Amino acid sequence: MTDTTTAAAIPSEKPRNQWWDVWDQFKTHKGAMAGLIFFVFIILAVYLGPLLWTIDPTHIDIRARNTGPSLAHPLGADQLGRDMLARMLQGGQVSISVGLTAMALSLVLGTFIGVLAGYWKGLDGLLMRFTDLFLALPLLPLLLVIIMLFRDPLRSVFGLETGIFILIVFVIGITSWMQAARIVRGDVLALKEREYVLAARSIGTSSGKIVVRHILPNIMSPIMVSATLGIANAIITESALSFLGLGFPPDYPTWGRLLFDAKDFIQQYPERVIWPGLAISLTVLAVNYIGDGLRDALDPRIRGR
């Protein structure tokens, strides 16, 4: 009687959510926490900043051209008198939007191909050779050819800015899915031989349900890590295309376009190169640190140390 009463008096401990364990491990990575704080700050700055700093980034003030930092223009003005702070904020919106959207596209494509190749053996050889083909292609010339071929048709259909945005996102997405596909395939090959997957298959569960219920939830770790690293890769690729003059139009700033516009004035006004270059470098560094922290936090062999 005493044992029963004692057992009833002890409250049952609620099982701890595994994502809290992931967060606890993530917090121990100082670089990842610093990267997360900076990345959140950048996102808030570029998306909420224009609500506070309401100067039109395309407004031309000839009297203010080539001026240094001041109360009216905290980051100075360019050769046409356009406010550099406003252009930096709008450029950040475009660059980060391209990075997030292109990452989502490449991740969906890479996960889809990786799951097909890993789970269905008959498709493995064909899809992996297709992946090898994309890995062997010279990406920069391929990007340039695609942009030159489809830039004008998309402009005429969707408009100037929207057409270029769709083209840049599509080009980056279809040329950066291969690493995610290989990682997902490797995990699926291991997971499909686990006991719970074999048990589900033995009772007649369809392959589609097995993939959705048992495979996909257990490959979220590599997918999340690939997502963070994909953002950094997309931002760098978009900046490189804009720097080459093949991205957005001159009056539609991105960080890469600001670098392109400032390269002719690097000796007279080096700060025009420093600000967008610093924004690109720090954002990519922050995202890479977040990826490192997620990789460690999601690895059960490291978690809890």
Side-chain angles (χ1 to χ4, degrees):
M1 183 60 127
T2 305
D3 294 339
T4 305
T5 305
T6 303
I10 299 175
S12 59
E13 185 177 353
K14 187 177 180 180
R16 181 178 173 85
N17 191 307
Q18 64 171 343
W19 292 107
W20 286 112
D21 295 333
V22 171
W23 172 246
D24 289 340
Q25 180 65 34
F26 183 85
K27 288 190 297 184
T28 63
H29 196 300
K30 295 181 179 179
M33 284 301 297
L36 178 62
I37 293 171
F38 181 80
F39 190 61
V40 171
F41 167 75
I42 285 291
I43 289 178
L44 293 177
V46 300
Y47 286 103
L48 299 181
L51 300 178
L52 302 175
W53 190 256
T54 57
I55 295 179
D56 186 354
T58 62
H59 175 68
I60 296 176
D61 183 5
I62 296 299
R63 293 174 297 180
R65 64 191 184 97
N66 294 328
T67 56
S70 63
L71 292 178
H73 305 285
L75 298 184
D78 65 5
Q79 68 277 9
L80 296 178
R82 295 172 296 189
D83 184 73
M84 285 297 298
L85 177 57
R87 292 177 67 77
M88 281 288 297
L89 293 176
Q90 187 180 11
Q93 278 189 25
V94 177
S95 295
I96 291 179
S97 296
V98 168
L100 293 174
T101 312
M103 175 274 298
L105 176 61
S106 67
L107 208 60
V108 169
L109 186 58
T111 301
F112 179 72
I113 292 178
V115 169
L116 288 179
Y119 192 82
W120 283 276
K121 187 176 181 181
L123 297 174
D124 189 19
L126 176 64
L127 290 176
M128 283 301 99
R129 300 297 76 76
F130 180 69
T131 303
D132 292 337
L133 173 63
F134 266 82
L135 286 171
L137 291 174
L139 291 184
L140 187 56
L142 178 64
L143 292 173
L144 300 182
V145 170
I146 294 175
I147 289 175
M148 295 300 294
L149 289 177
F150 296 100
R151 179 169 54 184
D152 292 335
L154 285 174
R155 277 179 178 177
S156 61
V157 174
F158 297 101
L160 185 59
E161 289 83 5
T162 305
I164 294 296
F165 182 86
I166 293 173
L167 179 60
I168 295 294
V169 167
F170 177 76
V171 165
I172 296 175
I174 65 168
T175 56
S176 57
W177 56 267
M178 295 80 73
Q179 290 78 11
R182 284 186 170 276
I183 294 171
V184 169
R185 170 186 174 269
D187 281 7
V188 172
L189 285 174
L191 286 171
K192 74 175 185 178
E193 302 300 330
R194 296 287 180 88
E195 291 81 0
Y196 57 87
V197 175
L198 297 176
R201 192 181 301 150
S202 68
I203 62 175
T205 306
S206 65
S207 297
K209 289 184 178 180
I210 291 176
V211 169
V212 172
R213 294 180 181 179
H214 301 294
I215 300 295
L216 286 179
N218 287 287
I219 60 173
M220 288 304 297
S221 300
I223 289 176
M224 292 178 65
V225 175
S226 297
T228 56
L229 300 179
I231 295 173
N233 179 65
I235 291 175
I236 291 176
T237 305
E238 183 278 323
S239 299
L241 291 174
S242 295
F243 184 78
L244 292 173
L246 295 171
F248 291 88
D251 58 344
Y252 198 75
T254 69
W255 286 339
R257 185 75 205 191
L258 292 177
L259 279 175
F260 176 78
D261 292 340
K263 65 180 176 56
D264 295 330
F265 303 91
I266 189 171
Q267 293 184 343
Q268 298 93 333
Y269 310 103
E271 66 276 3
R272 295 186 195 171
V273 177
I274 291 174
W275 293 122
L278 200 60
I280 295 170
S281 301
L282 292 180
T283 302
V284 170
L285 183 63
V287 171
N288 284 332
Y289 270 122
I290 293 173
D292 286 342
L294 279 176
R295 182 187 58 204
D296 294 347
L298 292 168
D299 190 341
R301 296 169 296 182
I302 298 176
R303 195 188 313 155
R305 286 187 181 179

